[in-house]
Amino acid sequence: MSNKTIPYKIYLEENEMPKAWYNLRADMKNKPAPLLNPSTKQPMTKDELKGVFCDELITQELDDTTPYFEIPKEILEFYKMYRPSPLVRAYRLEEKLNTPAKIYYKFEGNNTSGSHKLNSAIAQAYYAKKQGLKGVTTETGAGQWGSALSMACSYFDLDCKVYMVKVSYEQKPFRREVMRTYGASVTPSPSTETEVGRKILATHPQTTGSLGCAISEAVEKATTTEGYRYVLGSVLNQVLLHQSIIGLETKAALDKYSIIADIIIGCAGGGSNLGGLIAPFMKEKIKGERNYRIIAVEPASCPSLTRGKYAYDFCDTGMICPLAKMYTLGSNYIPAPNHAGGLRYHGMSSTLSQLYDDGLMEAVSVKQTDVFKAAEEFARIEGILPAPESSHAIKVAIDEALKCKETGEEKTIVFGLTGTGYFDMAAYGKYHDGLMENYIPSDEEINNSLLQLPTI
Amino acid sequence: MSNKTIPYKIYLEENEMPKAWYNLRADMKNKPAPLLNPSTKQPMTKDELKGVFCDELITQELDDTTPYFEIPKEILEFYKMYRPSPLVRAYRLEEKLNTPAKIYYKFEGNNTSGSHKLNSAIAQAYYAKKQGLKGVTTETGAGQWGSALSMACSYFDLDCKVYMVKVSYEQKPFRREVMRTYGASVTPSPSTETEVGRKILATHPQTTGSLGCAISEAVEKATTTEGYRYVLGSVLNQVLLHQSIIGLETKAALDKYSIIADIIIGCAGGGSNLGGLIAPFMKEKIKGERNYRIIAVEPASCPSLTRGKYAYDFCDTGMICPLAKMYTLGSNYIPAPNHAGGLRYHGMSSTLSQLYDDGLMEAVSVKQTDVFKAAEEFARIEGILPAPESSHAIKVAIDEALKCKETGEEKTIVFGLTGTGYFDMAAYGKYHDGLMENYIPSDEEINNSLLQLPTI
């Protein structure tokens, strides 16, 4: 470590900011498996994807050889509104834990959408605008992605149509108002606006919706409406590419002070934040330049990496999307209604799945009440009120720091603090009132769900 | 203006941060009138205030000659968690308005409490702790101050007892949960816990409470409980002193790039943010070094400066607090239920009242729907979702920028963006649904309320 004093928060100067996204796939020895056409079981071609995604995003999605993609200047300009995000040294948490470990977190919550999702939302909106489209469709569960996308679309004057899982639409009216403030239209899903929505409602009139179902509706709407495309906030390669800004900034900030990380921790739902955070570190690990421990943290109620199967699966409930090879719990797996809505997806990014399968990454699952305990402790000590999703990483960072206390090791721990919990106070309230439950699926439940995997 | 390129956001380096608060009263030619004992009508002495406030805060409250108070290192340490706040150049808003004006805003919302209130909360908690107290009591309306104080008390391990205006307690359960997350106890006011609360409930069993009533309860609780004192988030001189950090940082950031402000704008409820923001600029104005236009913006529904009377009045409904000379609408004035809870106080800081009376400051009142229109426009353009309170300043900053467009003047406008609106989405929803009303009190209503002023 250098002799420079390390500030409480490390901000990069404008001229130190990354100018290109990093495409980790280019350096992976075992490439992530390609998306397959569900009818032909052959890799999806650019042409087949054209009706669904914007052209340039398809290029990014399919390219596993180009290491860097220049960030368009319009996006760099937008990033200036809230980037660089600070890399914070958790001096006070270290002190409270009485650990020799050094803890840093990259805080992505200082923008109105409240999370890292904006990094990719603005990129996807930009390419849609550049292609001359009228608008985009998407789904949102907890509402972080929907909020981010509405901000991005408002910036580029694009129409934004959000299908919001019905139960969230009803329970989180304030998230809905944020999206409306940014001019988005928000429809509770399943809706009668789409074929797939009507079908689901006919079969299950009382359903409160699911992410997989909202995806199906958003894709149908995009592919059947002139001038629209579908965009997605996680799982996809293009999203991980955009999110590499998190890792690149983190690495640059650490390098600026000659700090070398030992452990890198992130929460993992679809993998967007984790994939972005670890990208430049994983590059060094793959090349054998440095041996980081990299840990994905998932909820015990939706443990795709730790208890799922590495196989081709559907990405949505309606089974209209391409097949992706990933660690999955089965596309019909319905996670218990835990309060980390952003981590309730049945699968995991194919890039992260491959890295995990190659033994380059660890994974651990944690219980909801332990997560909220860590969240509250963190809020009181570090000031920031974390999102439940982000708090999964906090929980494991604290665990690792406590291990260092036992062994006396001065490890450097870096974790991703993806967002704030302002819209999750109902969940905090349940925790305060002792009403929060933990749900851990049985092996039988997971196995049953996995029976429905497509045969490839 | 220098040739240095002005970044989108100006951050001060740690070594450029203010190390002392600035006490504007020391440089005022006409000092603000002293607090009076309601029984004797004589200036409150230090001894008389001891049961209510912490000792060092009383010193700060009464001192109108010492220009600078060193910021204790413990507070400087805490400030590092979220300060410096950025001074943002609103390049995009300028472009959208097509104005030659240059617009800057000092953004105080990037901390979990969501507003500038934390600047004084941490100071007041610090002095309470230093005095060996067990805890503090306070009131909160919209919840910004209560959230900030609970964070501060949690940091110093102090008990925090918040009386929350009943209607807010019921309508803003999430604000309540933020306070609980930080370990505060939150009681809807009026409550049966205090003499004054029971009295009010006996007379008005259906009351939804008011700020003035909650203040009375908090003061009673503090003065009748061993080891407790009362703290307040606005109006008082001590609060303006702590909030000078906003203005000092703003001035330092402008000076760093040789930018000279022409107009400085802030919203004004009790005056904490405005008093803090303008302090170093007003100093230069008083000394005749520079002639800034300084504008206080208040809601048309609670227009203490623009339509109130400059007179001694009670600070609370229960009439147990000292009398303050201020622009007031009368302590029984009940503002219409507008959505800028932080601006619904009947009076105005005695320092700001004196400056206004001396013609050193302008004041303007704005209608609620115009404020939300400006808020939404700002959110879409600048990305930040503003609090309704802060949006009062946005509205007038836009108005002034549009005047520059007409005249072609390249004025530099600086305004205070005090906080975020995450907990105000119900109000945004009303605005979106066209259900928001404007209320402007009649002259008769104000005159009737002013009949109850105490005779001095």
Side-chain angles (χ1 to χ4, degrees):
Chain A
M1 179 155 332
S2 90
N3 287 324
K4 281 191 238 179
T5 312
I6 297 164
Y8 184 85
K9 287 184 277 190
I10 307 177
Y11 280 106
L12 299 176
E13 303 288 326
E14 279 187 13
N15 60 13
E16 297 168 325
M17 292 281 294
K19 301 285 184 294
W21 294 303
Y22 169 58
N23 181 15
L24 177 58
R25 287 166 293 160
D27 290 306
M28 286 170 67
K29 286 165 194 162
N30 298 322
K31 306 285 182 192
L35 294 173
L36 297 187
N37 183 319
S39 324
T40 65
K41 310 280 164 79
Q42 292 302 305
M44 292 291 290
T45 64
K46 207 162 172 167
D47 276 350
E48 287 171 328
L49 288 168
K50 264 179 181 291
V52 184
F53 296 132
C54 306
D55 298 350
E56 291 214 41
L57 291 169
I58 297 172
T59 305
Q60 295 179 356
E61 189 62 32
L62 300 181
D63 186 334
D64 59 9
T65 54
T66 307
Y68 288 94
F69 285 81
E70 201 181 322
I71 306 175
K73 67 175 193 316
E74 292 85 350
I75 298 175
L76 285 175
E77 199 55 40
F78 185 87
Y79 278 170
K80 283 188 192 172
M81 279 173 43
Y82 68 103
R83 308 206 69 83
S85 70
L87 182 69
V88 186
R89 173 76 183 265
Y91 282 117
R92 300 193 53 230
L93 181 60
E94 294 169 16
E95 198 181 314
K96 178 89 174 183
L97 298 175
N98 192 21
T99 174
K102 292 168 183 59
I103 308 174
Y104 294 84
Y105 55 91
K106 179 71 168 168
F107 180 44
E108 292 289 319
N110 268 352
N111 68 72
T112 283
S113 81
S115 81
H116 69 292
K117 295 284 183 184
L118 195 53
N119 300 330
S120 183
I122 194 63
Q124 298 192 45
Y126 166 78
Y127 291 115
K129 186 71 182 180
K130 199 177 159 203
Q131 196 174 323
L133 297 175
K134 283 188 212 149
V136 294
T137 71
T138 199
E139 77 294 328
T140 200
Q144 287 189 337
W145 168 247
S147 304
L149 188 69
S150 2
M151 282 182 72
C153 286
S154 155
Y155 184 86
F156 284 122
D157 203 16
L158 271 175
D159 189 30
C160 178
K161 183 138 196 60
V162 181
Y163 290 88
M164 187 171 188
V165 177
K166 192 182 273 173
V167 61
S168 298
Y169 182 89
E170 284 160 3
Q171 288 178 355
K172 294 193 154 189
F174 296 163
R175 271 285 181 203
R176 188 176 76 210
E177 288 309 327
V178 173
M179 293 182 250
R180 287 178 77 197
T181 298
Y182 286 94
S185 80
V186 188
T187 306
S189 166
S191 77
T192 53
E193 284 182 9
T194 63
E195 190 83 26
V196 65
R198 288 189 292 271
K199 207 177 286 179
I200 291 170
L201 282 172
T203 329
H204 307 285
Q206 300 307 320
T207 181
T208 54
S210 74
L211 209 50
C213 164
I215 293 177
S216 299
E217 284 206 271
V219 171
E220 180 187 319
K221 186 76 180 180
T223 50
T224 56
T225 314
E226 179 71 25
Y228 281 72
R229 292 294 184 281
Y230 168 70
V231 297
L232 179 63
S234 191
V235 183
L236 296 173
N237 294 319
Q238 57 187 269
V239 178
L240 268 67
L241 175 69
H242 307 146
Q243 294 295 0
S244 69
I245 187 83
I246 305 174
L248 294 166
E249 278 186 20
T250 303
K251 187 78 169 56
L254 292 173
D255 287 351
K256 187 170 171 179
Y257 289 90
S258 311
I259 303 160
I260 294 164
D262 295 299
I263 307 175
I264 297 155
I265 301 167
C267 63
S272 70
N273 139 69
L274 183 68
L277 173 66
I278 69 175
F281 302 96
M282 188 58 88
K283 176 185 176 184
E284 293 185 336
K285 185 165 180 171
I286 289 171
K287 290 177 179 277
E289 294 166 2
R290 199 169 294 282
N291 191 22
Y292 303 104
R293 271 187 71 202
I294 293 176
I295 308 175
V297 189
E298 53 186 18
S301 58
C302 196
S304 53
L305 285 174
T306 49
R307 298 179 62 197
K309 186 171 171 183
Y310 191 33
Y312 267 103
D313 196 5
F314 294 100
C315 295
D316 65 326
T317 311
M319 302 183 180
I320 61 176
C321 292
L323 302 175
K325 188 174 179 194
M326 54 187 179
Y327 275 86
T328 179
L329 296 162
S331 66
N332 282 302
Y333 181 78
I334 306 288
N338 76 54
H339 296 287
L343 306 182
R344 297 183 66 214
Y345 187 65
H346 66 276
M348 179 61 64
S349 136
S350 60
T351 297
L352 292 183
S353 292
Q354 186 61 48
L355 292 168
Y356 182 59
D357 202 54
D358 288 341
L360 289 162
M361 192 174 91
E362 305 167 36
V364 59
S365 77
V366 290
K367 283 190 297 185
Q368 175 160 253
T369 48
D370 292 341
V371 166
F372 273 82
K373 184 164 178 281
E376 188 160 281
E377 185 171 8
F378 184 82
R380 292 185 184 185
I381 294 173
E382 290 289 319
I384 296 167
L385 185 75
E389 291 83 357
S390 326
S391 305
H392 285 68
I394 296 174
K395 161 68 181 148
V396 173
I398 290 176
D399 287 349
E400 290 295 329
L402 290 176
K403 283 184 205 162
C404 289
K405 183 179 173 182
E406 277 175 32
T407 62
E409 288 172 291
E410 285 188 31
K411 287 189 180 160
T412 295
I413 299 169
V414 176
F415 72 91
L417 190 70
T418 53
T420 49
Y422 301 119
F423 293 100
D424 300 287
M425 294 319 296
Y428 273 91
K430 267 200 174 172
Y431 174 70
H432 295 148
D433 294 334
L435 299 173
M436 184 171 279
E437 288 175 3
N438 289 310
Y439 182 75
I440 301 172
S442 66
D443 287 342
E444 195 189 351
E445 193 177 339
I446 293 175
N447 290 337
N448 279 342
S449 169
L450 288 172
L451 288 177
Q452 298 164 332
L453 287 181
T455 47
I456 304 296
Chain B
M1 181 153 332
S2 89
N3 287 326
K4 280 189 239 181
T5 312
I6 296 164
Y8 184 85
K9 287 184 278 189
I10 307 177
Y11 279 107
L12 299 176
E13 303 287 326
E14 280 188 11
N15 59 13
E16 297 168 324
M17 292 282 294
K19 300 287 182 295
W21 294 305
Y22 169 58
N23 181 16
L24 177 58
R25 287 167 292 160
D27 289 307
M28 285 170 68
K29 285 164 194 162
N30 299 321
K31 305 287 182 190
L35 294 173
L36 298 187
N37 182 317
S39 324
T40 65
K41 310 281 164 79
Q42 293 301 305
M44 292 290 290
T45 63
K46 206 162 173 169
D47 276 351
E48 287 171 330
L49 288 168
K50 264 178 180 292
V52 183
F53 296 132
C54 307
D55 297 351
E56 291 214 41
L57 292 168
I58 298 172
T59 305
Q60 295 179 356
E61 188 62 33
L62 300 181
D63 187 333
D64 59 9
T65 54
T66 308
Y68 288 95
F69 285 81
E70 200 181 322
I71 307 175
K73 68 175 192 317
E74 292 84 351
I75 298 175
L76 286 176
E77 199 55 40
F78 186 87
Y79 277 170
K80 282 188 195 171
M81 279 172 43
Y82 68 104
R83 308 205 69 83
S85 70
L87 182 69
V88 186
R89 172 76 182 267
Y91 282 117
R92 300 194 53 228
L93 181 60
E94 294 169 16
E95 197 180 315
K96 178 90 176 181
L97 298 174
N98 191 20
T99 174
K102 292 167 182 61
I103 309 174
Y104 294 85
Y105 54 91
K106 179 71 169 169
F107 180 43
E108 292 288 320
N110 268 352
N111 69 72
T112 284
S113 83
S115 83
H116 69 293
K117 295 283 183 186
L118 195 53
N119 301 328
S120 183
I122 194 62
Q124 298 192 46
Y126 167 78
Y127 291 116
K129 187 68 181 182
K130 198 177 160 202
Q131 196 173 323
L133 297 174
K134 280 187 215 153
V136 293
T137 71
T138 199
E139 77 294 328
T140 200
Q144 287 190 336
W145 167 247
S147 304
L149 189 68
S150 12
M151 282 183 71
C153 286
S154 154
Y155 184 85
F156 284 124
D157 203 15
L158 271 174
D159 190 31
C160 178
K161 182 140 195 58
V162 182
Y163 290 88
M164 187 170 188
V165 177
K166 192 182 274 174
V167 61
S168 298
Y169 182 89
E170 284 159 3
Q171 287 178 356
K172 294 193 152 188
F174 296 163
R175 271 285 183 204
R176 191 177 74 210
E177 287 309 328
V178 173
M179 294 182 250
R180 287 178 77 198
T181 299
Y182 286 95
S185 80
V186 188
T187 307
S189 165
S191 77
T192 54
E193 284 182 9
T194 63
E195 189 83 24
V196 66
R198 287 188 293 270
K199 208 177 282 178
I200 292 169
L201 282 172
T203 329
H204 307 286
Q206 300 306 321
T207 182
T208 55
S210 75
L211 210 49
C213 164
I215 293 177
S216 299
E217 284 205 271
V219 171
E220 181 186 319
K221 188 72 178 182
T223 51
T224 56
T225 313
E226 181 70 26
Y228 281 72
R229 292 293 184 283
Y230 168 70
V231 296
L232 179 64
S234 190
V235 183
L236 296 174
N237 295 318
Q238 57 188 268
V239 177
L240 269 68
L241 175 70
H242 307 146
Q243 294 295 359
S244 68
I245 187 82
I246 304 174
L248 294 166
E249 279 186 17
T250 303
K251 186 79 169 54
L254 292 172
D255 288 350
K256 186 170 172 178
Y257 289 90
S258 310
I259 304 160
I260 294 164
D262 295 300
I263 307 175
I264 296 153
I265 300 168
C267 62
S272 70
N273 138 69
L274 183 68
L277 173 65
I278 68 174
F281 301 97
M282 188 57 89
K283 176 185 176 183
E284 292 184 336
K285 184 164 181 171
I286 290 171
K287 289 177 181 277
E289 294 165 3
R290 199 168 296 279
N291 191 22
Y292 303 104
R293 271 187 74 202
I294 294 175
I295 308 176
V297 189
E298 51 186 21
S301 58
C302 195
S304 53
L305 285 173
T306 49
R307 297 179 64 197
K309 187 171 171 183
Y310 190 33
Y312 267 103
D313 195 5
F314 294 99
C315 295
D316 64 326
T317 311
M319 303 183 178
I320 61 176
C321 293
L323 301 174
K325 190 174 179 193
M326 53 186 180
Y327 276 86
T328 179
L329 296 161
S331 65
N332 282 302
Y333 181 78
I334 305 287
N338 76 54
H339 296 287
L343 305 182
R344 296 183 66 215
Y345 187 65
H346 66 277
M348 180 61 64
S349 137
S350 59
T351 296
L352 292 183
S353 292
Q354 186 60 48
L355 292 168
Y356 182 60
D357 201 56
D358 287 342
L360 290 162
M361 192 174 92
E362 304 167 36
V364 59
S365 77
V366 289
K367 283 190 298 186
Q368 176 160 251
T369 49
D370 293 341
V371 166
F372 273 82
K373 184 164 179 283
E376 189 161 280
E377 186 171 5
F378 183 83
R380 291 186 185 185
I381 294 173
E382 289 289 320
I384 295 169
L385 185 76
E389 291 83 356
S390 325
S391 305
H392 285 68
I394 296 175
K395 161 69 182 147
V396 173
I398 290 176
D399 287 349
E400 290 295 329
L402 291 175
K403 283 184 205 162
C404 289
K405 183 179 174 181
E406 278 176 31
T407 62
E409 289 172 291
E410 285 189 32
K411 287 187 181 162
T412 295
I413 299 169
V414 176
F415 73 89
L417 189 71
T418 53
T420 49
Y422 301 119
F423 293 100
D424 300 288
M425 294 321 295
Y428 274 90
K430 267 199 172 170
Y431 173 71
H432 296 147
D433 294 333
L435 300 173
M436 184 171 280
E437 289 176 0
N438 289 309
Y439 182 75
I440 301 173
S442 67
D443 287 342
E444 197 191 350
E445 193 178 338
I446 291 175
N447 290 336
N448 279 342
S449 169
L450 287 172
L451 288 175
Q452 297 164 332
L453 287 181
T455 49
I456 303 297

